[in-house]
Amino acid sequence: MIKQYILNQLGTALQNAALHLNNLAVDDSLLAGFKLERPRNPEHGDYAVNVSFLARQTKMPPPKIAEVIGSHLSNVAVIGGYLNFTITESMLAEALAALIHSAKPGLNSSLQAERILLEYVSANPTGPLHIGHGRWAALGDSIVRILRHCGALVTAEFYINDAGVQMGNITTAVYWRAVELLKAEGLLPDSLSLPEVLPYPGEYVIDVASMYLADEVRKAQFIAAHSDGQAALENEALQNDLKVFSKKVLLENQQGLLNRMRVHFENWISEKEYLYDRDLIPGTLQRLAGKGFTFEADDALWFKSTEFGDEKDRVLRKSDGSYTYLTPDIAYHDDKFNRPDRYNRILNIWGADHHGYIPRMCGAIQALGHDPAQFEVLLGQLVNLIVEGERTRMGKRRKMLTLQDVVDEVGVDATRFWMVSKSADSSLDFDVDLAASASSENPVFYVQYAHARCCSILRNAVEPAPNVDTGEMVAPFVQADALQQFEAALKPEQLALLFDSLSEPREKAVLKTLLLHLDGFEDAVKDAARLRAPHFITQYLLDVAAQFHSFYSICRILTPEPALTQARLMLIRAIQKILAQGLELLGVSAPEKM
RNA sequence: GCCUCAGUAGCUCAGUUGGAUAGAGCAACCGCCUUCUAAGCGGUAGGUCACAGGUUCGAAUCCUGUCUGGGGUACCA
């Protein structure tokens, strides 16, 4: 808000000064070039603008340019090529009052025109979610919340990979685990021996098998299928039932955890039901072929992805007649573009291990006549799990630590905050022992503590409390209803006491920094949305919390002076609102007590 | 080999479209609880922004090359 105000002032000043700047053409693109920043050195004002970039156009030295523009502005000091703005207390009061009156701080319409379909996590229903899925889950859901806060229309979608080879593998694994369990019960002969290596060796497969056998009817049918003493892997009815059952159990397990993590999807798209059962794939293939982008070679059907910059052509239908992973995925993405929702942005979060997959998918999208500029993939670098100080490759361990284990250990709030507190471009080390043992040192608690502290102050302000010495109950600092009225009808002028009561320059400086930062929340949200970078929000919240803790330590909020107390409480209220809103954008709870 | 992400304080990482003296947390050291939550605050110390060139008035940021690490480079998913 304050930044925008300054930019507006600057625009007017530029127009007035254009004549003296060699007839500089002042338009929006020129104004967009001005970058407002908070100088480190307090002598450089509260906001600063560097005008050096105008030197070439105007053929004038930067200090001269700054001087000319500065002469058309108030509250500005010119040093070298810089315009240093000083923010007045009345502007700060106005910004604070605006925050108090805003139902949802940071809410804006910067992405109002966007209709976004965001697909993320999209795990195979073949096992528990791992730590990497946790990163995409936290990242995706936070991005959804942030985009919506900027006015975008967003649909979150989970693509269930339930039609491929992996579903067959998990079925086989569950089958053998069931055999194993029944052998132990003496219900199947010992001659049925397990293969040396199961496609899914994890122990959870035993749980699935045992749940399957808990159904007496299924158990009886399973045993009956082995009347000849041979393995029943070829028994289609049995295999199908096992497959459907396993998928249901494993998917529900994933959904349960995501739900617990407050990660929400509007759509759960089953590859099998949505693509195969509705026969969508041949249609897409036909359109590709019709446009001449496919060819047959070596008994396989190929996509000419090299025509779209891919390094080699890709197989769509293998020589055995089945599709590669790519093919249904092309049909799926084709469908995303064709939906009646008319999305103008198809956004995916993929792990960095799928990076090489982008050119062919992008090529297919182009080949099918869609706009590749609307297709956007957010690549997240992988997560390293650190157990007992050792880096473990995910999934390579027989007994791996699942996302569920991690969430049990460190909690939803800490997991989510940690997962989005670093740029998705950086690979992330997740030290489980550290996160578990030192959970009280987790940055999320720092922010939550600041929020709880605000709430505590707001509670104490209106509640009668016992006198420290006498134990007698004394009246609250302010009356609850009076405070409520004050807040509802707050005018910037009523905040004058907030500033006047502070005499020390350091106190004033801390307050000003805090207010300017609170005022910058909307910008933080916009930046986070534009760059799909929730870590801007975590960073922002940590800064607010630090500045609040700092202010708290030098300035008492609850005083015997009701008018002063009320003014200071407005600051606390604004901080509390912003912390709560920021945490909500990250799907992290904002406790009122800790 | 090629594609891609990263390399910033002892450790983990921020640093937005290039701007004034490079930041935080943890670890280390020194202080602060008779008053609203010490899960807190103040202070000290800690840097060849991997390296070398280039562009620019100005580079941690952009370009080129080199080195190191992660990921990818299937008729796997």
Side-chain angles (χ1 to χ4, degrees), chain A residues 214-286:
Chain A
D215 182 330
E216 291 300 330
V217 179
R218 286 194 156 112
K219 185 174 179 179
Q221 280 173 352
F222 192 94
I223 295 167
H226 294 79
S227 55
D228 57 356
Q230 299 297 308
L233 270 170
E234 307 299 319
N235 183 325
E236 217 171 284
L238 181 65
Q239 286 305 306
N240 209 42
D241 193 50
L242 268 173
K243 187 184 277 185
V244 170
F245 182 86
S246 305
K247 174 192 151 185
K248 184 170 182 289
V249 168
L250 293 167
L251 181 61
E252 280 173 0
N253 171 282
Q254 293 180 354
Q255 288 172 324
L257 179 55
L258 289 169
N259 209 35
R260 180 175 162 208
M261 288 183 71
R262 312 175 196 120
V263 173
H264 301 297
F265 293 93
E266 277 72 45
N267 298 341
W268 295 82
I269 300 284
S270 154
E271 178 185 5
K272 181 181 177 298
E273 291 162 25
Y274 194 85
L275 298 177
Y276 282 86
D277 294 355
R278 292 163 70 219
D279 218 19
L280 282 189
I281 301 168
T284 299
L285 278 184
Q286 245 165 34

Side-chain angles (χ1 to χ4, degrees), chain A residues 194-362:
Chain A
L194 262 62
E196 296 243 328
V197 184
L198 286 181
Y200 284 92
E203 284 176 29
Y204 67 90
V205 181
I206 301 173
D207 298 335
V208 177
S210 120
M211 285 170 76
Y212 185 80
L213 296 174
D215 182 330
E216 291 300 330
V217 179
R218 286 194 156 112
K219 185 174 179 179
Q221 280 173 352
F222 192 94
I223 295 167
H226 294 79
S227 55
D228 57 356
Q230 299 297 308
L233 270 170
E234 307 299 319
N235 183 325
E236 217 171 284
L238 181 65
Q239 286 305 306
N240 209 42
D241 193 50
L242 268 173
K243 187 184 277 185
V244 170
F245 182 86
S246 305
K247 174 192 151 185
K248 184 170 182 289
V249 168
L250 293 167
L251 181 61
E252 280 173 0
N253 171 282
Q254 293 180 354
Q255 288 172 324
L257 179 55
L258 289 169
N259 209 35
R260 180 175 162 208
M261 288 183 71
R262 312 175 196 120
V263 173
H264 301 297
F265 293 93
E266 277 72 45
N267 298 341
W268 295 82
I269 300 284
S270 154
E271 178 185 5
K272 181 181 177 298
E273 291 162 25
Y274 194 85
L275 298 177
Y276 282 86
D277 294 355
R278 292 163 70 219
D279 218 19
L280 282 189
I281 301 168
T284 299
L285 278 184
Q286 245 165 34
R287 285 185 29 235
L288 270 184
K291 293 170 188 249
F293 292 121
T294 65
F295 65 95
E296 302 224 18
D298 305 325
D299 295 327
L301 181 71
W302 297 70
F303 169 46
K304 292 184 189 170
S305 55
T306 45
E307 294 201 8
F308 302 96
D310 197 6
E311 54 190 16
K312 55 174 289 195
D313 293 328
R314 306 290 169 176
V315 172
L316 293 168
R317 197 179 53 229
K318 302 183 234 175
S319 49
D320 69 1
S322 67
Y323 295 129
T324 58
Y325 175 79
L326 175 66
T327 311
D329 218 15
I330 291 176
Y332 173 45
H333 281 85
D334 186 25
D335 176 77
K336 287 181 178 181
F337 280 93
N338 292 335
R339 301 232 189 125
D341 314 79
R342 314 276 333 149
Y343 296 111
N344 58 15
R345 189 154 298 274
I346 305 298
L347 192 53
N348 290 345
I349 298 179
W350 289 349
D353 52 339
H354 282 63
H355 145 76
Y357 193 72
I358 296 175
R360 67 195 85 160
M361 181 54 71
C362 206

Side-chain angles (χ1 to χ4, degrees), chain A residues 366-442:
Chain A
Q366 265 178 280
L368 289 163
H370 306 300
D371 180 3
Q374 295 185 339
F375 180 62
E376 180 182 336
V377 178
L378 270 167
L379 277 187
Q381 296 298 311
L382 304 180
V383 180
N384 295 308
L385 203 53
I386 308 220
V387 181
E388 288 159 11
E390 244 180 84
R391 206 172 260 205
T392 61
R393 277 201 54 163
M394 255 154 21
K396 293 290 178 190
R397 284 189 148 201
R398 187 181 168 83
K399 192 180 173 179
M400 61 177 184
L401 213 54
T402 65
L403 180 57
Q404 174 102 48
D405 300 332
V406 170
V407 172
D408 285 345
E409 202 76 41
V410 306
V412 171
D413 286 340
T415 304
R416 286 198 62 150
F417 197 89
W418 185 262
M419 289 293 191
V420 298
S421 61
K422 275 142 206 171
S423 157
D425 287 338
S426 289
S427 57
L428 188 96
D429 283 346
F430 200 101
D431 188 323
V432 178
D433 304 306
L434 192 74
S437 69
S439 61
S440 66
E441 287 168 13
N442 195 303

Side-chain angles (χ1 to χ4, degrees), chain A residues 76-194:
Chain A
V76 164
V78 176
I79 303 177
Y82 285 87
L83 295 169
N84 295 321
F85 293 82
T86 300
I87 306 306
T88 61
E89 288 174 357
S90 69
M91 285 167 75
L92 293 170
E94 230 171 282
L96 179 54
L99 282 172
I100 290 294
H101 291 136
S102 141
K104 281 180 171 290
L107 192 67
N108 68 86
S109 53
S110 59
L111 296 181
Q112 208 165 28
E114 294 274 301
R115 305 174 63 86
I116 303 171
L117 178 62
L118 174 61
E119 181 216 327
Y120 64 104
V121 183
S122 296
N124 294 340
T126 55
L129 297 173
H130 56 64
I131 194 84
H133 292 129
R135 190 179 198 185
W136 319 144
L139 202 57
D141 186 65
S142 297
I143 289 174
V144 168
R145 293 166 189 249
I146 292 165
L147 291 173
R148 285 183 181 149
H149 214 58
C150 294
L153 205 134
V154 187
T155 305
E157 187 158 299
F158 186 114
Y159 179 58
I160 308 164
N161 270 233
D162 57 358
V165 187
Q166 297 307 321
M167 279 312 294
N169 288 341
I170 187 67
T171 309
T172 302
V174 172
Y175 167 80
W176 284 113
R177 289 302 193 184
V179 168
E180 190 178 37
L181 289 168
L182 291 169
K183 272 165 66 183
E185 281 188 63
L187 295 171
L188 282 179
D190 278 341
S191 57
L192 270 175
S193 57
L194 262 62

Side-chain angles (χ1 to χ4, degrees), chain A residues 530-590:
Chain A
R530 186 170 48 85
L531 297 164
R532 289 78 161 102
H535 76 276
F536 283 15
I537 304 293
T538 59
Q539 201 67 33
Y540 175 87
L541 292 176
L542 287 167
D543 288 342
V544 170
Q547 289 163 15
F548 161 59
H549 286 313
S550 179
F551 183 74
Y552 173 91
S553 70
I554 56 174
C555 175
R556 203 184 150 80
I557 311 302
L558 304 177
T559 72
E561 191 79 44
L564 177 60
T565 300
Q566 276 186 330
R568 288 185 176 164
L569 281 173
M570 290 304 100
L571 174 66
I572 301 306
R573 181 84 178 100
I575 296 167
Q576 181 261 323
K577 283 176 75 168
I578 281 186
L579 290 175
Q581 180 66 67
L583 287 169
E584 192 189 307
L585 291 178
L586 302 174
V588 174
S589 70

